[in-house]
Amino acid sequence: MIGFTKDARLKQWAGAALIALAAVGLDARVGAGVAVAAPGALEDSKPYDDKLMRLAELLGAVHYLRELCSANDGQLWRERMKELIDTEGGTALRRARLTRSFNQGYRSYRRTYVTCTPTAQSSIERFLAEGIQIGDGLVQNTR
């Protein structure tokens, strides 16, 4: 990461997240023709859901913290979340779970930080790194 500006790292993370979403979405569409016999929520589950929910939570936290720290991202992170929901939220239950994770990330940091502090900024950096790691992992697992 040496030599990268914060904005370049943000774009890298957003790009990695989009690639992961596209790859995971493609994988889900390829398997969509296979009937699943499990009833209820099990048919709605995917093996990568824990990572996906964490990614949604990170998007919510980063959306709040970047806005708090005057990053001028506008709705970038909320738009990425919408793309995640559009790609992976095939049912109302999945959309609700993804939305809940995003909101949980947003609200938990809204309760913690009311001003931009060095700790808030380091949280952003940590979350960006984790988001890149999750996105890369999802992409690698779909190849």
Side-chain angles (χ1 to χ4, degrees):
M1 296 261 179
I2 295 174
F4 282 100
T5 65
K6 284 184 184 180
D7 288 337
R9 285 185 292 197
L10 285 173
K11 288 178 183 170
Q12 178 188 15
W13 187 66
L18 286 176
I19 290 169
L21 296 176
V24 170
L26 177 61
D27 187 45
R29 284 190 297 271
V30 169
V34 177
V36 178
L42 291 179
E43 69 187 36
D44 211 27
S45 295
K46 307 270 196 275
Y48 50 83
D49 275 357
D50 288 344
K51 291 179 182 178
L52 211 57
M53 296 307 149
R54 178 62 180 155
L55 186 59
E57 186 177 356
L58 290 170
L59 287 168
V62 168
H63 178 65
Y64 174 75
L65 291 169
R66 295 272 302 163
E67 187 176 278
L68 180 70
C69 292
S70 303
N72 296 323
D73 289 338
Q75 297 298 306
L76 172 70
W77 303 103
R78 190 178 303 269
E79 289 167 9
R80 295 299 176 257
M81 184 62 209
K82 183 181 178 326
E83 292 169 9
L84 178 63
I85 289 172
D86 289 348
T87 303
E88 283 296 320
T91 66
L93 178 61
R94 283 185 72 73
R95 287 189 299 275
R97 289 178 60 216
L98 287 163
T99 300
R100 184 180 63 229
S101 293
F102 178 89
N103 289 339
Q104 179 180 338
Y106 186 95
R107 289 178 184 141
S108 65
Y109 284 89
R110 184 180 66 189
R111 285 188 298 267
T112 305
Y113 297 101
V114 293
T115 60
C116 185
T117 64
T119 306
Q121 297 217 349
S122 71
S123 294
I124 293 169
E125 295 294 321
R126 256 190 3 262
F127 295 153
L128 294 175
E130 185 179 351
I132 290 169
Q133 184 180 25
I134 290 171
D136 288 348
L138 288 170
V139 169
Q140 289 173 1
N141 287 334
T142 59
R143 288 182 184 163

